[in-house]
Amino acid sequence: MAYEVRGVVARSKGAPVTIETILVPDPGPGEAVVDIAACGVCHTDLHYREGGINDDYPFLLGHEAAGTVAAVGEGVTNVAVGDYVVLNWRAVCGQCRACLKGEPKYCFDTHNAAQKMTLADGTELSPALGIGAFAEKTLVHSGQCTKVDPAAPPASAGLLGCGVMAGVGAAINTGAVQRGESVAVFGCGGVGDAAIAGAKLAGATTIIAVDLSDTKLEWAKKFGATHTVNSSETDAVEAIKGVTGGFGVDVAIDAVGHPKVFEQAFYARDLAGRVVMVGVPTPDMEITLPAIEIFGRGGAIKSSWYGDCLPSRDFPMLVDLYLQGRFDLDAFVSETIGLDDVEAAFEKMHKGEVLRSVVVL
Ligand SMILES: NC(=O)c1ccc[n+]([C@@H]2O[C@H](COP(=O)([O-])OP(=O)(O)OC[C@H]3O[C@@H](n4cnc5c(N)ncnc54)[C@H](O)[C@@H]3O)[C@@H](O)[C@H]2O)c1
Ligand SMILES: [Zn+2]
Ligand SMILES: [Zn+2]
């Protein structure tokens, strides 16, 4: 018998989200139903609403969530009813060519629930990033559930499920920031500030935050930024060269996902430095760069899907660092809200008033 719960749905391109009754099926083989305790509002949810990801409306939004396993299907062994979990969108298959090469972070066949959640009239929903957690319950593949220490409160721990992991991982996994290196992070939202926190954890000694908003730059300092640049007033590339002896940074991270920002990151890096794109561009965006500059500067240009994380390895590690007081997950939570407030939260995010609004159920 399906569960009947409330969820936040984007019905058509650009239209405000609505609260709908969602039917969540009992878990089938390999699946789990999770009682959602908290779910953060990520810019990617807004990308979905705006048609920036694909056109598979209606979307059940929400994907940065923590909760408790309510039911499991046949054959599920990694979690049991009552387990406290953070949901992930990288349940690796173990069998594709990336997994077999020992690179499961690039898994080409990650698992999602096989069954569909639906609206009351039977219309199938597309859950954001295969999760759909702005709902009282959601259906996922059991591999999408990562058990963590229940001492970490859900509003904070849930953020590891997407934006915070993406940002931290962009610095420590994709960018492979080393002790003593210099790092510039463009865009100081939840993802960018997590990249700053990650760079600090990795031992970077110069961490330059770049944003258009002075408020965001102030917040970035709390996460470890040693310098700030407001790129609406100052040439970011020149400013970054100015604090790195004229050379540029070892690692430049684009946490906006805009060609202009990528270009700044590209030119703000030292010779043989790394550029990491973790912000998500829309399908219409294009980047034009002189080929000789790509060749001549050496180094690496990498994109960072989900911070190249492995949830089973990285979520418990970051929760442990949080519980030890070495990684301030709580600082990402600007406000806690209800399911009805997601549209207003998009507005606040758009205006740059929050780092993360977190729906608490
Ligand atoms: N790669 C991944 O796996 C992954 C995961 C989660 C989110 N994301 C993406 O990361 C990006 C950031 O997400 P977020 O939740 O932090 O968003 P956000 O809206 O909270 O933050 C974006 C920040 O960028 C700043 N900004 C905008 N334009 C700028 C510019 N031209 N120069 C400098 N700063 C600028 C804004 O002021 C804001 O502080 C989004 O594109 C999101 O979709 C990627
Ligand atoms: Zn795989
Ligand atoms: Zn996200």
Side-chain angles (χ1 to χ4, degrees):
M1 203 187 62
Y3 303 90
E4 213 177 283
V5 300
R6 292 183 338 128
V8 177
V9 173
R11 281 185 170 267
S12 60
K13 195 174 175 128
V17 296
T18 50
I19 301 278
E20 306 286 347
T21 298
I22 306 296
L23 301 183
V24 181
D26 278 326
E31 294 175 341
V33 168
V34 178
D35 278 325
I36 301 301
C39 181
V41 180
C42 172
H43 210 122
T44 303
D45 293 304
L46 186 55
H47 281 321
Y48 270 107
R49 197 202 72 176
E50 290 174 339
I53 310 277
N54 60 51
D55 282 327
D56 299 337
Y57 294 94
F59 294 110
L60 174 59
L61 299 182
H63 59 274
E64 295 188 346
T68 306
V69 176
V72 294
E74 199 188 309
V76 171
T77 53
N78 69 312
V79 284
V81 172
D83 281 349
Y84 179 59
V85 296
V86 172
L87 298 183
N88 75 72
W89 46 273
R90 181 167 285 149
V92 301
C93 77
Q95 288 169 358
C96 71
R97 59 195 195 285
C99 285
L100 293 177
K101 276 195 296 193
E103 298 272 21
K105 63 178 183 285
Y106 300 133
C107 178
F108 301 116
D109 196 16
T110 53
H111 292 307
N112 292 128
Q115 300 182 88
K116 289 285 186 187
M117 293 180 277
T118 64
L119 293 172
D121 66 2
T123 308
E124 290 190 351
L125 290 161
S126 305
L129 292 169
I131 294 181
F134 288 147
E136 290 153 341
K137 286 186 199 300
T138 194
L139 175 77
V140 291
H141 189 278
S142 62
Q144 293 182 266
C145 300
T146 309
K147 272 169 75 166
V148 298
D149 191 328
S156 304
L159 300 185
L160 290 173
C162 182
V164 170
M165 184 68 249
V168 172
I172 67 177
N173 294 332
T174 317
V177 172
Q178 305 295 308
R179 282 191 301 281
E181 284 196 316
S182 54
V183 178
V185 176
F186 296 75
C188 302
V191 174
D193 281 347
I196 289 170
K200 184 180 172 191
L201 268 179
T205 44
T206 301
I207 304 175
I208 307 164
V210 184
D211 204 290
L212 307 172
S213 148
D214 286 331
T215 312
K216 290 298 182 71
L217 292 171
E218 268 317 300
W219 295 349
K221 288 186 198 164
K222 289 196 298 187
F223 292 94
T226 57
H227 300 74
T228 59
V229 176
N230 186 324
S231 54
S232 69
E233 298 161 354
T234 313
D235 182 318
V237 175
E238 288 311 311
I240 289 165
K241 288 193 167 160
V243 286
T244 51
F247 298 117
V249 285
D250 296 305
V251 181
I253 299 174
D254 168 6
V256 178
H258 190 279
K260 281 276 163 258
V261 176
F262 182 84
E263 199 173 303
Q264 288 169 3
F266 179 84
Y267 285 111
R269 123 198 103 124
D270 195 3
L271 291 174
R274 290 91 81 194
V275 187
V276 176
M277 183 194 241
V278 65
V280 181
T282 53
D284 55 306
M285 290 176 175
E286 292 190 352
I287 293 168
T288 308
L289 287 168
I292 190 65
E293 294 286 350
I294 297 173
F295 174 74
R297 285 164 181 268
I301 299 175
K302 299 172 92 179
S303 72
S304 185
W305 281 62
Y306 211 173
D308 287 335
C309 77
L310 281 180
S312 54
R313 175 194 68 193
D314 296 333
F315 291 5
M317 177 265 292
L318 290 169
V319 165
D320 286 350
L321 287 170
Y322 164 72
L323 293 172
Q324 291 167 7
R326 295 159 69 188
F327 178 56
D328 189 1
L329 270 175
D330 300 333
F332 291 96
V333 182
S334 310
E335 59 168 1
T336 54
I337 59 172
L339 271 184
D340 301 311
D341 307 322
V342 169
E343 188 60 40
F346 282 152
E347 191 60 29
K348 286 183 204 163
M349 180 171 70
H350 196 67
K351 287 192 188 142
E353 293 167 1
V354 290
L355 223 40
R356 275 297 185 267
S357 303
V358 181
V359 172
V360 173
L361 290 138

